Amino acid sequence: IARHRYSDKSETAINDQINVEYNVSYVYHAMFAYFDRDNIALKGLAKFFRESSEEERGHAEKLMKFQNIRGGNVKLHSIIFPPSEFAHAEKGDALYAMELALSLEKLTNEKLLSLHSVADSNNDPQMADFIENEFLTEQVEAIKKISEYVAQLRMVGKGHGVWHFDQMLLHEGDAAL
Protein backbone atom coordinates (compact mmCIF):
# COMPACT_ATOMS: atom_id res chain seq x y z
CA ILE A 1 0.00 0.00 0.00
CA ALA A 2 2.85 2.40 0.87
CA ARG A 3 4.80 1.68 -2.31
CA HIS A 4 5.26 4.83 -4.38
CA ARG A 5 7.97 5.35 -7.01
CA TYR A 6 9.98 2.47 -5.60
CA SER A 7 11.38 0.26 -8.36
CA ASP A 8 11.79 -3.49 -8.27
CA LYS A 9 15.51 -2.95 -8.87
CA SER A 10 15.74 -0.74 -5.78
CA GLU A 11 13.86 -3.32 -3.72
CA THR A 12 16.20 -6.09 -4.90
CA ALA A 13 19.30 -3.98 -4.26
CA ILE A 14 18.16 -3.15 -0.72
CA ASN A 15 17.56 -6.85 -0.05
CA ASP A 16 21.04 -7.65 -1.37
CA GLN A 17 22.56 -5.05 0.96
CA ILE A 18 20.59 -6.41 3.92
CA ASN A 19 22.12 -9.79 3.24
CA VAL A 20 25.63 -8.35 2.85
CA GLU A 21 25.29 -6.68 6.25
CA TYR A 22 24.06 -9.89 7.89
CA ASN A 23 26.88 -11.94 6.37
CA VAL A 24 29.52 -9.46 7.54
CA SER A 25 27.89 -9.45 10.99
CA TYR A 26 28.10 -13.25 11.05
CA VAL A 27 31.82 -13.26 10.20
CA TYR A 28 32.48 -10.67 12.91
CA HIS A 29 30.51 -12.80 15.36
CA ALA A 30 32.74 -15.78 14.50
CA MET A 31 35.79 -13.56 15.14
CA PHE A 32 34.33 -12.54 18.50
CA ALA A 33 33.92 -16.20 19.45
CA TYR A 34 37.47 -17.00 18.35
CA PHE A 35 39.17 -14.22 20.32
CA ASP A 36 36.97 -14.91 23.37
CA ARG A 37 38.15 -18.55 23.58
CA ASP A 38 40.10 -19.55 26.66
CA ASN A 39 43.20 -20.46 24.65
CA ILE A 40 43.22 -17.15 22.71
CA ALA A 41 41.97 -14.79 25.45
CA LEU A 42 42.31 -11.49 23.58
CA LYS A 43 39.35 -9.77 25.21
CA GLY A 44 39.88 -6.43 23.46
CA LEU A 45 39.69 -8.02 20.02
CA ALA A 46 36.69 -10.08 21.18
CA LYS A 47 34.98 -6.86 22.33
CA PHE A 48 35.83 -5.07 19.06
CA PHE A 49 34.44 -7.87 16.88
CA ARG A 50 31.32 -8.33 19.06
CA GLU A 51 30.57 -4.61 18.75
CA SER A 52 31.31 -4.73 15.02
CA SER A 53 28.91 -7.65 14.62
CA GLU A 54 26.18 -5.75 16.47
CA GLU A 55 26.79 -2.66 14.34
CA GLU A 56 26.48 -4.58 11.06
CA ARG A 57 23.33 -6.30 12.28
CA GLY A 58 21.98 -2.87 13.16
CA HIS A 59 22.69 -1.74 9.59
CA ALA A 60 20.73 -4.71 8.27
CA GLU A 61 17.80 -3.83 10.52
CA LYS A 62 17.94 -0.17 9.44
CA LEU A 63 17.78 -1.31 5.80
CA MET A 64 14.87 -3.62 6.63
CA LYS A 65 12.95 -0.70 8.14
CA PHE A 66 13.68 1.35 5.02
CA GLN A 67 12.43 -1.49 2.83
CA ASN A 68 9.20 -1.67 4.81
CA ILE A 69 8.70 2.11 4.82
CA ARG A 70 9.02 2.18 1.04
CA GLY A 71 6.51 -0.66 0.62
CA GLY A 72 9.02 -3.33 -0.39
CA ASN A 73 9.33 -6.88 0.87
CA VAL A 74 12.34 -8.02 2.85
CA LYS A 75 13.83 -11.24 1.47
CA LEU A 76 16.58 -12.85 3.51
CA HIS A 77 19.02 -15.24 1.87
CA SER A 78 21.12 -17.99 3.42
CA ILE A 79 24.03 -16.78 5.47
CA ILE A 80 27.45 -17.89 4.27
CA PHE A 81 29.29 -20.21 6.67
CA PRO A 82 32.12 -18.14 8.24
CA PRO A 83 35.54 -19.46 9.22
CA SER A 84 35.94 -20.35 12.89
CA GLU A 85 39.74 -20.29 13.01
CA PHE A 86 41.81 -17.18 12.40
CA ALA A 87 45.29 -18.46 13.23
CA HIS A 88 47.93 -17.51 10.69
CA ALA A 89 51.53 -18.75 10.97
CA GLU A 90 53.20 -15.67 9.46
CA LYS A 91 50.89 -12.79 10.37
CA GLY A 92 49.42 -14.00 13.64
CA ASP A 93 45.71 -14.20 14.34
CA ALA A 94 45.14 -10.55 15.28
CA LEU A 95 46.63 -9.10 12.09
CA TYR A 96 45.01 -11.77 9.94
CA ALA A 97 41.57 -11.09 11.44
CA MET A 98 41.96 -7.31 11.19
CA GLU A 99 43.03 -7.56 7.53
CA LEU A 100 39.95 -9.70 6.90
CA ALA A 101 37.82 -7.07 8.65
CA LEU A 102 39.34 -4.37 6.43
CA SER A 103 38.50 -6.34 3.30
CA LEU A 104 34.93 -6.84 4.55
CA GLU A 105 34.52 -3.13 5.21
CA LYS A 106 35.84 -2.28 1.75
CA LEU A 107 33.48 -4.86 0.21
CA THR A 108 30.56 -3.37 2.13
CA ASN A 109 31.54 0.09 0.90
CA GLU A 110 31.61 -1.12 -2.72
CA LYS A 111 28.16 -2.67 -2.26
CA LEU A 112 26.83 0.56 -0.74
CA LEU A 113 28.19 2.56 -3.66
CA SER A 114 26.47 0.14 -6.04
CA LEU A 115 23.27 0.52 -4.05
CA HIS A 116 23.57 4.30 -4.39
CA SER A 117 24.01 3.88 -8.16
CA VAL A 118 20.79 1.86 -8.29
CA ALA A 119 19.01 4.68 -6.50
CA ASP A 120 20.41 7.22 -8.96
CA SER A 121 19.61 5.16 -12.05
CA ASN A 122 16.03 4.64 -10.84
CA ASN A 123 15.53 8.33 -10.07
CA ASP A 124 15.04 7.69 -6.35
CA PRO A 125 16.55 10.68 -4.52
CA GLN A 126 15.02 9.61 -1.21
CA MET A 127 16.85 6.26 -1.36
CA ALA A 128 20.09 7.96 -2.44
CA ASP A 129 19.77 10.42 0.45
CA PHE A 130 19.13 7.55 2.89
CA ILE A 131 22.26 5.69 1.76
CA GLU A 132 24.39 8.86 1.90
CA ASN A 133 23.18 10.02 5.31
CA GLU A 134 22.96 6.67 7.09
CA PHE A 135 25.86 4.66 5.70
CA LEU A 136 28.52 6.17 3.42
CA THR A 137 30.36 8.49 5.82
CA GLU A 138 30.32 5.90 8.59
CA GLN A 139 31.66 3.29 6.17
CA VAL A 140 34.60 5.45 5.09
CA GLU A 141 35.39 6.19 8.74
CA ALA A 142 35.33 2.46 9.56
CA ILE A 143 37.74 1.74 6.70
CA LYS A 144 40.12 4.42 8.01
CA LYS A 145 39.95 3.15 11.60
CA ILE A 146 40.56 -0.49 10.67
CA SER A 147 43.34 0.54 8.26
CA GLU A 148 45.08 2.19 11.20
CA TYR A 149 44.62 -0.96 13.29
CA VAL A 150 46.15 -3.04 10.49
CA ALA A 151 49.11 -0.63 10.29
CA GLN A 152 49.62 -0.78 14.06
CA LEU A 153 49.43 -4.58 14.14
CA ARG A 154 51.93 -4.80 11.28
CA MET A 155 54.32 -2.66 13.34
CA VAL A 156 54.00 -4.63 16.58
CA GLY A 157 54.25 -8.07 14.98
CA LYS A 158 53.14 -11.19 16.81
CA GLY A 159 53.52 -11.67 20.52
CA HIS A 160 53.63 -9.16 23.33
CA GLY A 161 52.80 -6.19 21.08
CA VAL A 162 49.48 -7.83 20.19
CA TRP A 163 48.65 -8.04 23.90
CA HIS A 164 49.25 -4.29 24.28
CA PHE A 165 47.13 -3.60 21.19
CA ASP A 166 44.42 -5.83 22.65
CA GLN A 167 44.49 -3.91 25.94
CA MET A 168 44.10 -0.65 24.01
CA LEU A 169 40.98 -2.05 22.32
CA LEU A 170 39.65 -3.42 25.59
CA HIS A 171 39.90 -0.06 27.34
CA GLU A 172 38.93 2.12 24.38
CA GLY A 173 36.25 4.51 25.56
CA ASP A 174 37.03 4.05 29.28
CA ALA A 175 38.47 7.57 29.53
CA ALA A 176 35.10 9.00 28.53
CA LEU A 177 33.42 7.42 31.58
Side-chain angles (χ1 to χ4, degrees), residues 87-105:
H88 192 281
E90 294 173 25
K91 296 179 181 183
D93 48 7
L95 176 57
Y96 176 69
M98 204 57 77
E99 286 178 343
L100 177 57
L102 180 58
S103 69
L104 291 170
E105 293 298 327

Side-chain angles (χ1 to χ4, degrees), residues 31-120:
M31 290 177 178
F32 152 69
Y34 175 82
F35 287 105
D36 194 49
R37 288 176 12 190
D38 66 336
N39 62 330
I40 306 298
L42 292 170
K43 299 296 185 182
L45 284 156
K47 174 186 166 196
F48 174 80
F49 287 120
R50 180 183 42 79
E51 290 171 353
S52 296
S53 176
E54 291 168 358
E55 181 179 333
E56 299 304 328
R57 189 177 65 244
H59 292 167
E61 290 171 1
K62 194 179 285 190
L63 288 158
M64 292 169 91
K65 287 182 181 186
F66 176 84
Q67 185 80 293
N68 288 333
I69 287 169
R70 292 300 300 272
N73 294 314
V74 172
K75 293 184 179 156
L76 299 177
H77 305 169
S78 296
I79 293 179
I80 298 168
F81 182 73
S84 59
E85 296 294 322
F86 298 95
H88 192 281
E90 294 173 25
K91 296 179 181 183
D93 48 7
L95 176 57
Y96 176 69
M98 204 57 77
E99 286 178 343
L100 177 57
L102 180 58
S103 69
L104 291 170
E105 293 298 327
K106 287 180 176 182
L107 171 70
T108 301
N109 192 52
E110 288 299 321
K111 297 292 187 180
L112 285 166
L113 293 172
S114 294
L115 182 60
H116 190 276
S117 293
V118 169
D120 284 344

